[in-house]
Amino acid sequence: MANKSESYENMMAKLENIVSSIENGEMTLEDTMKNYEAGVSLCNKLYKYLNDAEGKIEILSGDKEKDFTGDEK
């Protein structure tokens, strides 16, 4: 998974702060670009984190989804 010292929630909070500061529009172009790069990096980490979690869930469930209609015999 992504950096073990950073939780998913922590990375999301950082990304939300970056987006908010960019939308604020009070930064220089250089600072905006640095924040944009940091945001893209965080997005990539979050994507990997979610993909890894999905893979673990698929392994644990045996790649078999069951229809839980109650008609099991």
Side-chain angles (χ1 to χ4, degrees), residues 1-2 42-54:
M1 285 204 179
L42 278 169
C43 282
N44 289 333
K45 288 179 184 178
L46 289 163
Y47 182 77
K48 180 174 177 7
Y49 192 99
L50 290 174
N51 277 340
D52 290 348
E54 182 181 30

mmCIF file of all heavy atoms in Angstrom, residues 1-2 42-54:
data_model
loop_
_atom_site.group_PDB
_atom_site.id
_atom_site.type_symbol
_atom_site.label_atom_id
_atom_site.label_comp_id
_atom_site.label_asym_id
_atom_site.label_seq_id
_atom_site.Cartn_x
_atom_site.Cartn_y
_atom_site.Cartn_z
ATOM 1 N N MET A 1 0.836 -1.184 0.000
ATOM 2 C CA MET A 1 0.000 0.000 0.000
ATOM 3 C C MET A 1 0.878 1.244 0.000
ATOM 4 O O MET A 1 2.079 1.162 0.000
ATOM 5 C CB MET A 1 -0.919 -0.006 1.225
ATOM 6 C CG MET A 1 -2.057 -0.967 1.137
ATOM 7 S SD MET A 1 -3.367 -0.424 2.210
ATOM 8 C CE MET A 1 -4.511 -1.710 1.863
ATOM 9 N N ALA A 2 0.237 2.378 0.054
ATOM 10 C CA ALA A 2 0.970 3.639 0.083
ATOM 11 C C ALA A 2 1.765 3.722 1.383
ATOM 12 O O ALA A 2 1.710 2.835 2.219
ATOM 13 C CB ALA A 2 -0.005 4.803 -0.042
ATOM 14 N N LEU A 42 -0.482 13.073 -4.484
ATOM 15 C CA LEU A 42 -1.400 12.505 -3.507
ATOM 16 C C LEU A 42 -2.500 11.686 -4.184
ATOM 17 O O LEU A 42 -2.876 10.615 -3.703
ATOM 18 C CB LEU A 42 -2.034 13.603 -2.654
ATOM 19 C CG LEU A 42 -1.196 14.101 -1.478
ATOM 20 C CD1 LEU A 42 -1.809 15.358 -0.870
ATOM 21 C CD2 LEU A 42 -1.074 13.022 -0.427
ATOM 22 N N CYS A 43 -3.017 12.179 -5.298
ATOM 23 C CA CYS A 43 -4.043 11.431 -6.048
ATOM 24 C C CYS A 43 -3.513 10.074 -6.471
ATOM 25 O O CYS A 43 -4.219 9.059 -6.364
ATOM 26 C CB CYS A 43 -4.499 12.215 -7.273
ATOM 27 S SG CYS A 43 -5.643 13.542 -6.914
ATOM 28 N N ASN A 44 -2.273 10.036 -6.933
ATOM 29 C CA ASN A 44 -1.667 8.772 -7.347
ATOM 30 C C ASN A 44 -1.513 7.819 -6.164
ATOM 31 O O ASN A 44 -1.777 6.625 -6.278
ATOM 32 C CB ASN A 44 -0.323 9.005 -8.025
ATOM 33 C CG ASN A 44 -0.466 9.642 -9.385
ATOM 34 O OD1 ASN A 44 -1.480 9.479 -10.050
ATOM 35 N ND2 ASN A 44 0.539 10.384 -9.803
ATOM 36 N N LYS A 45 -1.093 8.342 -5.007
ATOM 37 C CA LYS A 45 -0.961 7.514 -3.808
ATOM 38 C C LYS A 45 -2.323 6.984 -3.372
ATOM 39 O O LYS A 45 -2.453 5.811 -2.998
ATOM 40 C CB LYS A 45 -0.336 8.318 -2.663
ATOM 41 C CG LYS A 45 1.132 8.607 -2.836
ATOM 42 C CD LYS A 45 1.639 9.428 -1.667
ATOM 43 C CE LYS A 45 3.085 9.826 -1.852
ATOM 44 N NZ LYS A 45 3.573 10.657 -0.733
ATOM 45 N N LEU A 46 -3.333 7.853 -3.402
ATOM 46 C CA LEU A 46 -4.675 7.432 -3.008
ATOM 47 C C LEU A 46 -5.221 6.368 -3.953
ATOM 48 O O LEU A 46 -5.842 5.396 -3.524
ATOM 49 C CB LEU A 46 -5.620 8.640 -2.955
ATOM 50 C CG LEU A 46 -5.373 9.596 -1.794
ATOM 51 C CD1 LEU A 46 -6.046 10.944 -2.052
ATOM 52 C CD2 LEU A 46 -5.870 8.994 -0.495
ATOM 53 N N TYR A 47 -4.982 6.532 -5.242
ATOM 54 C CA TYR A 47 -5.419 5.556 -6.239
ATOM 55 C C TYR A 47 -4.776 4.203 -5.970
ATOM 56 O O TYR A 47 -5.440 3.163 -5.975
ATOM 57 C CB TYR A 47 -5.080 6.069 -7.635
ATOM 58 C CG TYR A 47 -5.522 5.156 -8.745
ATOM 59 C CD1 TYR A 47 -6.858 5.099 -9.133
ATOM 60 C CD2 TYR A 47 -4.604 4.352 -9.399
ATOM 61 C CE1 TYR A 47 -7.270 4.251 -10.152
ATOM 62 C CE2 TYR A 47 -5.005 3.501 -10.417
ATOM 63 C CZ TYR A 47 -6.332 3.458 -10.789
ATOM 64 O OH TYR A 47 -6.741 2.615 -11.789
ATOM 65 N N LYS A 48 -3.466 4.212 -5.701
ATOM 66 C CA LYS A 48 -2.756 2.971 -5.410
ATOM 67 C C LYS A 48 -3.282 2.348 -4.118
ATOM 68 O O LYS A 48 -3.489 1.131 -4.045
ATOM 69 C CB LYS A 48 -1.251 3.221 -5.292
ATOM 70 C CG LYS A 48 -0.476 1.947 -4.995
ATOM 71 C CD LYS A 48 1.008 2.158 -5.033
ATOM 72 C CE LYS A 48 1.827 0.953 -4.683
ATOM 73 N NZ LYS A 48 1.222 -0.323 -4.495
ATOM 74 N N TYR A 49 -3.516 3.159 -3.112
ATOM 75 C CA TYR A 49 -4.035 2.678 -1.833
ATOM 76 C C TYR A 49 -5.369 1.964 -2.041
ATOM 77 O O TYR A 49 -5.590 0.859 -1.536
ATOM 78 C CB TYR A 49 -4.202 3.873 -0.889
ATOM 79 C CG TYR A 49 -4.454 3.526 0.550
ATOM 80 C CD1 TYR A 49 -3.418 3.548 1.472
ATOM 81 C CD2 TYR A 49 -5.725 3.192 1.006
ATOM 82 C CE1 TYR A 49 -3.635 3.246 2.802
ATOM 83 C CE2 TYR A 49 -5.953 2.883 2.331
ATOM 84 C CZ TYR A 49 -4.904 2.913 3.232
ATOM 85 O OH TYR A 49 -5.127 2.606 4.552
ATOM 86 N N LEU A 50 -6.265 2.584 -2.811
ATOM 87 C CA LEU A 50 -7.579 1.989 -3.068
ATOM 88 C C LEU A 50 -7.474 0.723 -3.910
ATOM 89 O O LEU A 50 -8.180 -0.255 -3.663
ATOM 90 C CB LEU A 50 -8.502 3.008 -3.738
ATOM 91 C CG LEU A 50 -8.953 4.166 -2.850
ATOM 92 C CD1 LEU A 50 -9.740 5.174 -3.678
ATOM 93 C CD2 LEU A 50 -9.781 3.669 -1.688
ATOM 94 N N ASN A 51 -6.603 0.721 -4.910
ATOM 95 C CA ASN A 51 -6.405 -0.475 -5.730
ATOM 96 C C ASN A 51 -5.859 -1.629 -4.903
ATOM 97 O O ASN A 51 -6.279 -2.779 -5.074
ATOM 98 C CB ASN A 51 -5.481 -0.192 -6.909
ATOM 99 C CG ASN A 51 -6.213 0.421 -8.072
ATOM 100 O OD1 ASN A 51 -7.426 0.317 -8.183
ATOM 101 N ND2 ASN A 51 -5.467 1.057 -8.947
ATOM 102 N N ASP A 52 -4.908 -1.331 -4.015
ATOM 103 C CA ASP A 52 -4.361 -2.364 -3.142
ATOM 104 C C ASP A 52 -5.436 -2.917 -2.216
ATOM 105 O O ASP A 52 -5.531 -4.130 -2.016
ATOM 106 C CB ASP A 52 -3.188 -1.815 -2.318
ATOM 107 C CG ASP A 52 -1.954 -1.542 -3.144
ATOM 108 O OD1 ASP A 52 -1.900 -1.967 -4.318
ATOM 109 O OD2 ASP A 52 -1.028 -0.882 -2.614
ATOM 110 N N ALA A 53 -6.257 -2.042 -1.667
ATOM 111 C CA ALA A 53 -7.337 -2.478 -0.783
ATOM 112 C C ALA A 53 -8.335 -3.338 -1.551
ATOM 113 O O ALA A 53 -8.798 -4.366 -1.049
ATOM 114 C CB ALA A 53 -8.033 -1.269 -0.166
ATOM 115 N N GLU A 54 -8.666 -2.934 -2.762
ATOM 116 C CA GLU A 54 -9.587 -3.707 -3.589
ATOM 117 C C GLU A 54 -9.025 -5.101 -3.874
ATOM 118 O O GLU A 54 -9.747 -6.104 -3.816
ATOM 119 C CB GLU A 54 -9.872 -2.977 -4.893
ATOM 120 C CG GLU A 54 -10.857 -3.706 -5.794
ATOM 121 C CD GLU A 54 -11.116 -2.982 -7.100
ATOM 122 O OE1 GLU A 54 -10.205 -2.271 -7.590
ATOM 123 O OE2 GLU A 54 -12.220 -3.133 -7.629
#
